[in-house]
Amino acid sequence: MALTNEIVKNRLTEQFGDQLTGWEEPYGMLTCTMPAGINLKVLQFLFDDEQLRFRFLTDLTGVHYPGRPGEELCVVYHVHNMVDGVRMRLKAYVPLEKPDVFSATQLYSAANWMERETYDFFGVNFVGHPDLRRILNVDEMEHFPMRKEFPMEDPTRTDKDDEMFGRGGIV
Amino acid sequence: MSEHNQHIQLSDESVAKQTTTLNLGPTHPATHGVFENILEIDGEKVLSAKQTVGYIHRAFEKIAERRPYYQITPLTDRLNYCSAPINNMGWHMTIEKLLGLKLPKRVEYMRVLIMELSRISDHLICNSVVAVDTGALTGFTYVFQWRELIYEIYEEICGSRLTTNMGRVGGFERNFSDVAWQKINKFIEGFPKVMKEFEDLFTRNRIFMDRCIGAGPINAERALNYGFTGPNLRAAGVDYDLRVAEPYSSYEDFDFKIPTGTIGDVYDRYLVRNVEIWESLSIVKQAVQKIAEIEKADPAQKNIFYAPESDKYHFPPKEDVYTKMEALIYHFKMVMGEIAVPPGEIYHAVEGANGEVGYYLISDGGRTPYRLHFRRPCFIYYQAFPEMIKGGLLSDAIIALSSLNVIAGELDA
Amino acid sequence: MGRPVQYNTNVKLAEMPEGYSGEGFMATSFDKIIGMARKNSLWPLPFATSCCGIEFMATMGANYDLARFGSERMGFTPRQCDVLLVAGTIAKKMGPVLRQVYLQMAEPRWVVAIGACASSGGIFDSYSVLQGIDQVIPVDVYVSGCPPRPEAILEGVMKIQELVNNESLRRRNSDHYKALLESYGIQ
Ligand code: SF4
């Protein structure tokens, strides 16, 4: 029997009960939210379960929602069951003050750099990561550039007139 | 001790160790891009490698948050610049999926045609660069002439060679010209001969085989764990291809094979790419044929190069912009990015030349994406490089790197 | 039977510099002779980082053939090269590396910035990209385009040749030049 979103959802609810919330299916991809504390458990379960077999980590990234106190940062996992061709999206929200989630590097080697990138961009702290350093930006950088409050433009630039370029004011 | 001696004094630790530290990059000519690898070598044997990336980090994702949707296409060009059209069209497909647009068959086939041409050009670079690194420059200069023809085709279609910015949401910005069709046909006719010769030069060449077989291998399990996709994963023996697994742009109408390798070494990767070039060529042929059939059945189709219902998202023709009021207004609105896009969250992936190029888009309904993340295949699989070259020879490391086809622009975003 | 002697009639000679010539001799200044010699044997150092680098590869390829201009040999070590061709985006992380490469080149040295990114940051007006390599090293010729066509890159090289041809031998010792390097903090 082909694996459907319905089955995945039921299996997950069986295992984790109502810890998983926010079930959605935007454009056909099953999406749910998990508490940051059990992210690794959920991923491990999806990996190990003989029926689910989500063994490929497609993508791992972060999103910043400045307007949601207590859950400003969101870590998004895309996992993929290549055998049945089913994808799934998992989210974990963490507060800005304590952005801790568990690292998935033990499960997927691919997660290593993706987590470093997410740390670099958003400052998410992946607990248990073997080498959590900046990856794309220079080590000396003090802020996390993908957070919404950080300006895009080179702050040291003096040769462009902000008004003529339609900047300043608008983000 | 004189001043000079002090200057060259090495630390005790460095003197005591029996191995050599070798800096490969960031501007090493053999790396074909800016990657830094600090290798620890014992004679010719590589013991470990430490990678540093980010030397051309350009902040695509941050820029994308400040640009209206259509202005993001030029950014996608610069991800994998060897096959820019695939990225362009992947991005357009993402928006089309968000908008729920359905494209006419002819447009989809035109897209397939272009995407396969760019896959050919990408694989050609990779394979000829592998050949260069094994010491044969001839193949490189020879096939580059034919890559130029692909560029000329692009140029006919969109006016640009490398960073194509090709296509628009809903189709193309203009129809293919007659010259473009001529050049495509010329390519279909002339290229097989050149490719055959290129193959003859390398595939069963003893020197080339000796260099490549067994160099930089990775098995299927590790490859999957490392998030490999595309030709590199197929070389390891997993027949995963998005064109088949999740067909987009009418790929299901085409007939082609997916080559796979066995041990995922340099030679396998070379062969897989080689076969893919042939398959792509056959897809191009099929696409030309299918388009001709459509046109024969209904000559009116000849002028369809974008989805009719995408009018709202498609620039009006230039003549109209200059003469008609509505067209001008629409043009203006579009340039200012004031066309509303529904809020939503979407992940769309296409089979890029290097693997699964994914676009994770969160739209809040505004003129710019709320968040746009590119899944860049190079970035993900390049992590495996140290593991692949460990224990091998230094020269194997070089060709392993070039056969992975790591593109700096895609790697560093 | 011996083979007929064949002469290669396709040899292109460099133009003779201005000077005073008579029977069997020719007098001109060192400036001109050395300029001419340098002009036609420039060794480029490609510093290709991204998309422009691919277009630069096309320039080296058979269709456009940079070798026609006396730049057959790509040197990959800065110490042997005369012209630094910077093609591609230079991020802030790369800036010091570029500067290091420039410092390793011997005088006289020239720099071409190929493409919008190298010239001004191009479309990447972002926190991580150096807004033009002239912030870290002096540049002689800028080539516009994103990416420039191979023809444009060739023209950039020809412009450099012109500069090289007409450069005074004293330029590199002049106060003006020293002040220029000083302004980049290069001694
Ligand atoms: S100028 Fe354009 S083509 Fe050249 S490196 Fe920059 S973005 Fe790429």
Side-chain angles (χ1 to χ4, degrees):
Chain A
M1 197 177 70
L3 191 65
T4 58
N5 286 350
E6 202 59 35
I7 301 174
V8 178
K9 187 177 169 183
N10 289 341
R11 285 287 291 148
L12 277 170
T13 347
E14 249 169 57
Q15 184 74 15
F16 295 100
D18 46 12
Q19 280 180 302
L20 302 180
T21 50
W23 292 95
E24 271 178 295
E25 272 187 47
Y27 299 93
M29 190 184 286
L30 188 66
T31 305
C32 79
T33 307
M34 56 193 176
I38 62 161
N39 73 328
L40 204 54
K41 285 205 191 92
V42 177
L43 288 172
Q44 182 85 49
F45 174 71
L46 285 171
F47 190 98
D48 289 339
D49 191 84
E50 272 312 313
Q51 194 187 2
L52 299 180
R53 294 184 289 186
F54 283 93
R55 297 200 179 135
F56 188 81
L57 180 67
T58 310
D59 198 15
L60 192 167
T61 188
V63 188
H64 183 205
Y65 296 103
R68 299 189 190 175
E71 43 179 47
E72 283 97 342
L73 293 175
C74 172
V75 183
V76 185
Y77 299 84
H78 285 86
V79 285
H80 191 177
N81 173 342
M82 279 193 175
V83 183
D84 297 294
V86 180
R87 291 176 190 273
M88 182 176 180
R89 182 185 296 134
L90 294 154
K91 295 181 178 179
Y93 289 93
V94 282
L96 205 55
E97 302 81 49
K98 198 170 166 296
D100 292 351
V101 293
F102 291 105
S103 160
T105 35
Q106 290 304 319
L107 206 51
Y108 307 103
S109 310
N112 190 331
W113 281 15
M114 294 197 249
E115 285 178 355
R116 274 177 71 186
E117 188 193 43
T118 313
Y119 165 73
D120 190 353
F121 282 167
F122 294 95
V124 176
N125 181 24
F126 288 93
V127 180
H129 189 286
D131 181 23
L132 199 62
R133 285 179 294 128
R134 284 190 183 273
I135 182 162
L136 295 176
N137 289 301
V138 280
D139 290 336
E140 298 84 58
M141 202 165 194
E142 281 156 4
H143 26 241
F144 298 108
M146 282 299 286
R147 292 196 182 166
K148 289 284 177 187
E149 70 271 13
F150 186 72
M152 174 185 87
E153 286 93 0
D154 183 355
T156 60
R157 192 151 185 178
T158 52
D159 58 333
K160 274 188 177 173
D161 182 343
D162 274 354
E163 212 147 288
M164 301 304 281
F165 281 85
R167 294 187 307 214
I170 327 160
V171 240
Chain B
M1 204 184 277
S2 79
E3 226 174 78
H4 181 67
N5 276 347
Q6 263 173 12
H7 182 65
I8 56 165
Q9 201 174 35
L10 296 166
S11 65
D12 288 341
E13 180 193 345
S14 163
V15 174
K17 78 177 189 244
Q18 298 291 309
T19 56
T20 318
T21 308
L22 182 76
N23 275 309
L24 196 67
T27 65
H28 194 278
T31 57
H32 306 289
V34 273
F35 331 111
E36 186 178 9
N37 281 295
I38 299 172
L39 305 180
E40 205 55 50
I41 51 175
D42 180 4
E44 278 283 300
K45 212 171 116 202
V46 180
L47 300 179
S48 72
K50 239 172 69 200
Q51 300 160 293
T52 312
V53 300
Y55 281 105
I56 63 162
H57 174 50
R58 302 188 266 192
F60 282 110
E61 291 174 10
K62 190 77 182 177
I63 296 176
E65 284 178 10
R66 308 295 159 94
R67 297 269 182 272
Y69 286 83
Y70 74 98
Q71 285 188 9
I72 292 169
T73 323
L75 292 179
T76 60
D77 281 338
R78 285 147 183 87
L79 278 173
N80 182 349
Y81 32 76
C82 294
S83 54
I86 300 185
N87 300 346
N88 295 161
M89 289 171 187
W91 167 239
H92 295 318
M93 281 178 229
T94 312
I95 308 177
E96 281 153 16
K97 204 164 158 188
L98 187 73
L99 297 171
L101 279 182
K102 187 111 184 51
L103 266 58
K105 280 282 176 198
R106 179 169 191 261
V107 181
E108 298 210 317
Y109 294 151
M110 279 158 79
R111 277 196 175 164
V112 168
L113 198 163
I114 295 299
M115 286 195 281
E116 291 309 314
L117 277 180
S118 48
R119 195 181 315 279
I120 293 177
S121 89
D122 191 289
H123 286 354
L124 272 185
I125 295 197
C126 178
N127 271 0
S128 57
V129 162
V130 173
V132 168
D133 286 345
T134 54
L137 198 67
T138 331
F140 174 82
T141 40
Y142 190 51
V143 293
F144 246 65
Q145 289 185 11
W146 284 82
R147 259 192 81 237
E148 285 292 324
L149 185 58
I150 299 184
Y151 278 169
E152 279 174 31
I153 296 170
Y154 293 170
E155 216 174 349
E156 266 320 307
I157 290 166
C158 69
S160 169
R161 286 160 54 89
L162 185 72
T163 47
T164 49
N165 192 10
M166 195 189 282
R168 297 288 181 263
V169 174
F172 284 85
E173 69 272 36
R174 66 185 93 121
N175 212 341
F176 288 9
S177 66
D178 290 342
V179 183
W181 284 115
Q182 275 165 23
K183 289 200 165 149
I184 291 169
N185 285 328
K186 182 175 162 202
F187 182 81
I188 293 176
E189 263 161 46
F191 183 67
K193 190 166 146 264
V194 180
M195 193 55 214
K196 184 86 195 27
E197 228 167 323
F198 180 77
E199 250 183 17
D200 287 348
L201 189 56
F202 295 111
T203 307
R204 302 299 296 171
N205 181 325
R206 195 69 251 172
I207 304 173
F208 185 73
M209 285 166 75
D210 282 350
R211 276 298 300 278
C212 293
I213 293 177
I218 186 157
N219 63 25
E221 192 195 335
R222 292 304 294 156
L224 283 173
N225 204 277
Y226 266 119
F228 274 50
T229 39
N232 296 332
L233 177 64
R234 293 195 278 278
V238 183
D239 60 344
Y240 174 68
D241 188 324
L242 270 170
R243 291 176 290 175
V244 176
E246 294 168 20
Y248 51 91
S249 195
S250 297
Y251 263 111
E252 64 275 12
D253 298 354
F254 292 88
D255 188 17
F256 58 99
K257 291 200 249 346
I258 305 174
T260 52
T262 45
I263 55 169
D265 61 353
V266 175
Y267 193 62
D268 270 352
R269 285 193 282 272
Y270 164 84
L271 286 180
V272 164
R273 285 208 169 81
N274 225 348
V275 178
E276 277 188 19
I277 292 178
W278 287 111
E279 293 301 322
S280 294
L281 191 67
S282 116
I283 298 177
V284 170
K285 278 187 206 157
Q286 292 172 38
V288 172
Q289 220 171 26
K290 281 186 200 294
I291 293 172
E293 272 164 25
I294 290 180
E295 286 173 2
K296 216 166 119 208
D298 177 12
Q301 284 275 340
K302 258 199 179 131
N303 297 321
I304 300 229
F305 55 94
Y306 65 91
E309 61 270 32
S310 75
D311 257 352
K312 225 169 103 196
Y313 311 101
H314 194 277
F315 278 120
K318 268 279 167 336
E319 307 89 70
D320 288 0
V321 174
Y322 292 135
T323 51
K324 295 201 184 100
M325 175 81 154
E326 292 78 30
L328 182 63
I329 293 174
Y330 245 115
H331 187 93
F332 185 73
K333 264 183 97 173
M334 236 172 269
V335 171
M336 298 310 288
E338 276 167 18
I339 303 291
V341 173
E345 186 173 8
I346 193 165
Y347 177 85
H348 182 71
V350 294
E351 179 75 25
N354 275 337
E356 177 175 336
V357 184
Y359 303 83
Y360 174 49
L361 169 69
I362 300 179
S363 156
D364 59 353
R367 69 193 280 267
T368 61
Y370 186 79
R371 169 96 172 93
L372 176 60
H373 176 76
F374 300 105
R375 180 197 196 267
R376 312 180 306 278
C378 287
F379 177 73
I380 295 167
Y381 66 63
Y382 181 50
Q383 301 177 51
F385 182 62
E387 194 177 302
M388 291 164 71
I389 61 167
K390 202 167 177 183
L393 297 179
L394 180 58
S395 55
D396 291 354
I398 305 277
I399 51 174
L401 183 56
S402 43
S403 76
L404 277 178
N405 198 14
V406 185
I407 307 279
E410 191 172 274
L411 178 72
D412 291 346
Chain C
M1 221 174 71
R3 267 192 310 144
V5 183
Q6 279 185 350
Y7 295 103
N8 183 357
T9 51
N10 280 331
V11 179
K12 196 172 149 254
L13 293 176
E15 228 166 274
M16 184 114 88
E18 252 174 63
Y20 180 73
S21 60
E23 214 173 301
F25 78 94
M26 142 124 202
T28 183
S29 62
F30 261 138
D31 264 12
K32 286 183 183 140
I33 285 288
I34 293 178
M36 187 190 76
R38 278 180 181 164
K39 169 189 164 187
N40 291 304
S41 63
L42 286 174
W43 284 13
L45 168 67
F47 194 91
T49 57
S50 54
C51 357
C52 279
I54 303 288
E55 214 50 343
F56 181 73
M57 264 157 96
T59 317
M60 293 192 310
N63 278 26
Y64 294 96
D65 199 9
L66 189 60
R68 291 179 294 161
F69 301 93
S71 307
E72 172 72 55
R73 185 183 181 281
M74 293 291 137
F76 283 106
T77 146
R79 294 179 207 281
Q80 298 173 348
C81 292
D82 311 307
V83 193
L84 179 62
L85 299 169
V86 184
T89 320
I90 304 295
K92 288 195 175 138
K93 202 169 177 180
M94 196 67 177
V97 181
L98 177 66
R99 197 181 146 93
Q100 182 74 19
V101 168
Y102 179 76
L103 290 179
Q104 285 174 353
M105 290 173 72
E107 290 280 14
R109 54 193 166 188
W110 292 270
V111 178
V112 190
I114 293 173
C117 281
S119 307
S120 69
I123 65 170
F124 302 107
D125 182 3
S126 62
Y127 59 87
S128 64
V129 174
L130 198 62
Q131 303 296 310
I133 56 166
D134 46 10
Q135 296 196 352
V136 289
I137 54 172
V139 178
D140 295 272
V141 170
Y142 298 87
V143 181
S144 63
C146 180
R149 292 188 54 94
E151 289 95 332
I153 299 179
L154 286 181
E155 198 193 350
V157 173
M158 282 159 75
K159 280 266 172 337
I160 278 285
Q161 286 189 321
E162 220 168 274
L163 278 181
V164 172
N165 195 18
N166 298 326
E167 187 174 308
S168 146
L169 286 184
R170 298 214 176 82
R171 172 167 179 248
R172 306 273 158 178
N173 298 324
S174 67
D175 288 340
H176 178 114
Y177 185 72
K178 283 201 180 116
L180 174 73
L181 286 190
E182 198 71 47
S183 71
Y184 284 97
I186 300 169
Q187 249 76 54

